[in-house]
Amino acid sequence: MLRDITLGQYYQTDSLLHRLDPRVKIVGTFAYIISLFLFRNITIYLIAGLWLFAMIRLSKVPFRFMVKGLKPVIMILLVTVICNVLFTKGTPVFSFWKITITDEGLKMALFMTIRFVMLIIGSTLMTLTTTPNQLTDALESLLSPLNKLHVPVHEISMMMAIALRFIPILMEETDKIMKAQLARGADFESGNMFKRVKAMLPLLVPLFVSAFRRANDLAMAMEARCYRGGEGRTKMKPLIYKNTDRRAYLCILVYLVVLIVGGFIGKRLPL
Amino acid sequence: MQIIIDQLNYSYGDGAMRQQALKDVSFSIPKGQFLALIGHTGSGKSTLIQHLNGLLKAESGSIYFHGEDISDEDYNRKKLRSKVGLVFQYPEHQLFETDVFRDVCFGPKNLGLDDNKAGLKAFEALHQVGIPEELFYVSPFELSGGQKRRVAIAGVLAMEPEVLILDEPTAGLDPRGREELLTMLKKLHKQKHMTILLVSHSMEDVAKYAERVLVMEKGSVIHDGSPKEVFSKREELKRLGLDVPEITDFMQDLQREGFPVNPQMITVEEARQEILKAFKKGQLC
Ligand SMILES: Nc1ncnc2c1ncn2[C@@H]1O[C@H](COP(=O)(O)OP(=O)(O)O)[C@@H](O)[C@H]1O
Ligand SMILES: [Mg+2]
């Protein structure tokens, strides 16, 4: 019941995107997300859409896995669309009772939806093709200049790696404890708000206890292996750029240039 | 028959991740039986028992409890869960209340009993599992591992189930703890005529306590019989990655070496009698 959250789930296969250096993928995803917000016209959505489509094909991940990532955010999307349609002022196209729907509102909602969907699919694609460990390694490497400012980059990325690693474990644990309490006649579904919150206690207390127990065990195990933080620590699989990665950076650059040019051209067009 | 399971199928996941965990499982459990469920890890034992109190819903097939189909829309599943008590693996992880007594009251209170009645049930249940009264009002998190487990089992017993299902209840206990726990189960079985289904990896325990053994393999029940019958198939069990009790192994080896003993002995006590008998006949030495 708690297993369909795709964000942060890796899809195992062998593709160009899977083999790419994770740093390239993070930078690429970042560039892609920013590119979605640079302009607001149809040309850049076309260009970004083509780019996304190409990436999806390159990744060899079945499309339904990306759609799965959309499911949890569909409610948020609906709410923003409705708010935009209802509360944007401008030229009215349609009026009903106290509600006026404007041309600007409709456009805004449409653009919002496209942007949102493309954003989620794009970032889902990154987590589908990159293992959590690669992601945190890449972040550590990308953020390492901050070390000079005494930001504990290694510690932060270690914490992220551990947190990511624990998400599926804690989900499984939640499922188990929930079932155990259901077997004792617990009821998580009926009753009013207050009652339901109270009914969560038999689930939350054991979950916290177990999270602390696991954290404790892990700390102990790390200490037993003489973990002392990042200083002087070497990696088993250090990140090294290959030719493909350099070419990929070039592609990202080309994409950005094309998009910016397209954006300026699009500004002149109607809509 | 108290429980009838008919052609049960179940799969986890969907699409490419789909994995069949139960395949055409059929058997029935008469009231008051002590039966054991054995099988390699991943053979579907835990999945099967979660169907028996309605926590998982069968994909196809049906389960009847006292003749009523538990998957019917209007079947009262909450009541079923009180009648078929399920103790999960490592049940101590479900404890949450501020003291032991309150935790055990959780089940009966969920059934709608008032504080007094729930308290009475909790009191009895804690006695049954052998928790001394001075521990009733301490935090469950301060107890030892074995004590925690017994408190968790009391939490299920307090709902007074007719059927008690335990998923590897002795995992991680010391020899004394497991002995006490199993003796307690035996007592419940004898005195309260409770039906008990024990999932276990210890063939010795199965041989000593169970009246009937079910063997699961890749989601199907492949053997169903008395411990003696099942453990006589040593080679086949070995192939499935399962053992027979060590003493049965030993007796079968003895017989193969030409000693005139009946190899179908599954407990140490029986084996001793059998060997002594052979000695008395003077066929040895
Ligand atoms: N929550 C779950 N989600 C997906 N697959 C599961 C889940 N629980 C069990 N399985 C799978 O179902 C099969 C049977 O598991 P289980 O019933 O736990 O076996 P056992 O208790 O005999 O070790 C295993 O292959 C296991 O991987
Ligand atoms: Mg199991």
Side-chain angles (χ1 to χ4, degrees):
Chain A
M1 55 182 105
L2 289 163
R3 275 161 198 268
D4 12 297
I5 298 173
T6 328
L7 217 72
Q9 256 174 30
Y10 182 63
Y11 180 88
Q12 176 96 43
T13 175
D14 186 33
S15 78
L16 186 67
L17 276 199
H18 282 78
R19 284 189 304 262
L20 224 49
D21 189 292
R23 285 172 294 185
V24 182
K25 286 187 263 185
I26 288 185
V27 171
T29 310
F30 215 66
Y32 167 77
I33 289 175
I34 291 175
S35 77
L36 288 179
F37 288 89
L38 280 181
F39 299 92
R40 197 194 302 160
N41 61 51
I42 205 82
T43 17
I44 73 139
Y45 293 130
L46 276 177
I47 297 170
L50 268 177
W51 172 258
L52 184 63
F53 180 74
M55 291 304 130
I56 291 174
R57 292 311 296 269
L58 274 181
S59 74
K60 294 191 191 163
V61 180
F63 187 65
R64 59 193 159 85
F65 280 89
M66 281 153 235
V67 182
K68 249 189 182 170
L70 278 176
K71 259 192 220 153
V73 288
I74 238 158
M75 275 318 284
I76 306 174
L77 188 60
L78 267 180
V79 171
T80 36
V81 163
I82 290 170
C83 285
N84 268 304
V85 168
L86 292 187
F87 303 122
T88 313
K89 296 202 164 49
T91 27
V93 274
F94 178 76
S95 204
F96 168 75
W97 189 43
K98 280 180 188 166
I99 303 166
T100 318
I101 292 172
T102 64
D103 191 32
E104 282 82 354
L106 284 176
K107 255 191 211 162
M108 185 78 131
L110 179 71
F111 283 149
M112 282 283 289
T113 314
I114 296 178
R115 209 181 251 175
F116 206 74
V117 169
M118 282 171 64
L119 191 147
I120 297 286
I121 292 184
S123 36
T124 309
L125 188 60
M126 178 178 75
T127 51
L128 279 170
T129 57
T130 322
T131 63
N133 276 337
Q134 286 177 329
L135 272 183
T136 45
D137 273 359
L139 269 184
E140 185 176 353
S141 155
L142 287 171
L143 295 179
S144 61
L146 291 180
N147 259 330
K148 298 233 165 62
L149 303 174
H150 299 288
V151 179
V153 175
H154 170 82
E155 279 69 20
I156 292 174
S157 79
M158 179 57 99
M159 272 156 63
M160 272 178 46
I162 292 172
L164 282 173
R165 176 70 193 78
F166 269 63
I167 288 173
I169 294 181
L170 286 183
M171 303 261 245
E172 218 177 291
E173 193 92 8
T174 313
D175 201 44
K176 257 203 251 162
I177 296 170
M178 207 170 195
K179 277 182 180 162
Q181 305 299 24
L182 281 173
R184 294 211 280 163
D187 190 346
F188 295 114
E189 269 139 30
S190 56
N192 56 23
M193 195 64 181
F194 180 70
K195 246 185 163 170
R196 270 200 228 178
V197 170
K198 214 176 144 216
M200 292 308 269
L201 268 186
L203 179 61
L204 290 180
V205 174
L207 199 60
F208 271 98
V209 171
S210 115
F212 278 113
R213 189 185 53 236
R214 281 177 196 280
N216 206 10
D217 289 352
L218 184 67
M220 206 90 99
M222 284 167 83
E223 205 140 88
R225 294 179 215 173
C226 304
Y227 178 77
R228 283 282 172 279
E231 220 170 303
R233 195 175 172 78
T234 54
K235 290 215 178 298
M236 189 160 98
K237 293 180 190 158
L239 292 173
I240 299 165
Y241 283 124
K242 293 187 294 282
N243 273 337
T244 346
D245 301 317
R246 292 188 197 102
R247 258 176 256 143
Y249 271 131
L250 201 64
C251 287
I252 294 168
L253 200 68
V254 169
Y255 160 72
L256 277 180
V257 170
V258 168
L259 185 117
I260 289 170
V261 172
F264 279 115
I265 294 174
K267 259 191 180 171
R268 309 257 172 81
L269 301 177
L271 204 129
Chain B
M1 289 289 162
Q2 198 170 19
I3 300 178
I4 299 174
I5 297 155
D6 184 29
Q7 298 280 317
L8 193 63
N9 281 287
Y10 186 80
S11 313
Y12 285 106
D14 48 23
M17 320 272 270
R18 197 181 146 94
Q19 186 190 13
Q20 189 157 22
L22 293 179
K23 269 182 228 143
D24 288 333
V25 173
S26 301
F27 64 95
S28 50
I29 307 174
K31 190 163 166 44
Q33 197 166 50
F34 194 134
L35 67 153
L37 184 59
I38 62 176
H40 203 261
T41 306
S43 57
K45 307 181 294 293
S46 303
T47 308
L48 173 60
I49 59 176
Q50 286 173 43
H51 279 85
L52 299 183
N53 72 346
L55 279 176
L56 290 178
K57 206 161 181 303
E59 221 165 63
S60 70
S62 354
I63 298 174
Y64 301 91
F65 183 64
H66 288 305
E68 287 177 74
D69 190 339
I70 67 166
S71 59
D72 272 349
E73 282 301 317
D74 51 355
Y75 191 84
N76 185 346
R77 258 176 285 277
K78 198 159 167 181
K79 189 144 171 237
L80 174 73
R81 283 177 196 152
S82 73
K83 297 283 174 213
V84 181
L86 178 53
V87 179
F88 276 86
Q89 210 172 352
Y90 300 109
E92 56 274 25
H93 293 175
Q94 74 192 24
L95 301 175
F96 70 98
E97 270 289 8
T98 46
D99 66 49
V100 167
F101 195 75
R102 273 192 221 188
D103 204 284
V104 178
C105 284
F106 180 66
K109 275 196 185 152
N110 283 333
L111 300 180
L113 298 184
D114 61 39
D115 284 5
N116 280 337
K117 283 208 180 107
L120 189 64
K121 298 243 159 111
F123 189 84
E124 279 175 9
L126 281 166
H127 264 291
Q128 275 166 4
V129 300
I131 294 287
E133 266 168 61
E134 61 265 25
L135 291 180
F136 279 18
Y137 300 102
V138 302
S139 158
F141 300 105
E142 286 168 21
L143 302 180
S144 76
Q147 287 169 331
K148 272 190 208 163
R149 184 153 312 172
R150 277 188 276 165
V151 170
I153 293 176
V156 173
L157 283 179
M159 303 202 299
E160 299 197 319
E162 292 171 24
V163 182
L164 184 63
I165 304 174
L166 303 103
D167 198 350
E168 299 182 31
T170 55
L173 290 186
D174 55 32
R176 174 136 170 236
R178 70 192 287 145
E179 191 66 36
E180 281 173 1
L181 191 96
L182 289 165
T183 316
M184 178 199 96
L185 290 183
K186 189 87 201 166
K187 214 166 92 190
L188 283 173
H189 173 63
K190 276 236 173 80
Q191 292 176 353
K192 301 220 153 188
H193 307 290
M194 211 180 263
T195 311
I196 293 185
L197 173 57
L198 177 72
V199 177
S200 178
H201 277 298
S202 160
M203 300 306 149
E204 274 73 22
D205 294 344
V206 170
K208 195 161 162 197
Y209 294 98
E211 301 163 354
R212 175 180 169 198
V213 184
L214 296 168
V215 184
M216 283 193 80
E217 163 71 5
K218 295 200 182 116
S220 310
V221 173
I222 54 163
H223 287 297
D224 178 355
S226 70
K228 273 201 168 54
E229 281 163 22
V230 170
F231 288 136
S232 65
K233 305 186 174 92
R234 172 167 73 155
E235 305 309 325
E236 195 184 340
L237 288 178
K238 287 246 158 101
R239 213 170 46 241
L240 300 176
L242 296 171
D243 274 327
V244 296
E246 265 185 81
I247 194 70
T248 313
D249 231 4
F250 172 73
M251 294 298 278
Q252 293 191 357
D253 283 347
L254 266 188
Q255 191 209 24
R256 192 189 295 161
E257 297 293 322
F259 285 73
V261 288
N262 176 355
Q264 288 213 340
M265 301 293 122
I266 56 173
T267 62
V268 176
E269 191 46 43
E270 282 177 350
R272 178 166 60 196
Q273 302 289 344
E274 181 68 18
I275 294 175
L276 284 179
K277 214 164 70 194
F279 268 111
K280 285 207 184 98
K281 279 192 198 148
Q283 288 158 324
L284 293 172
C285 348

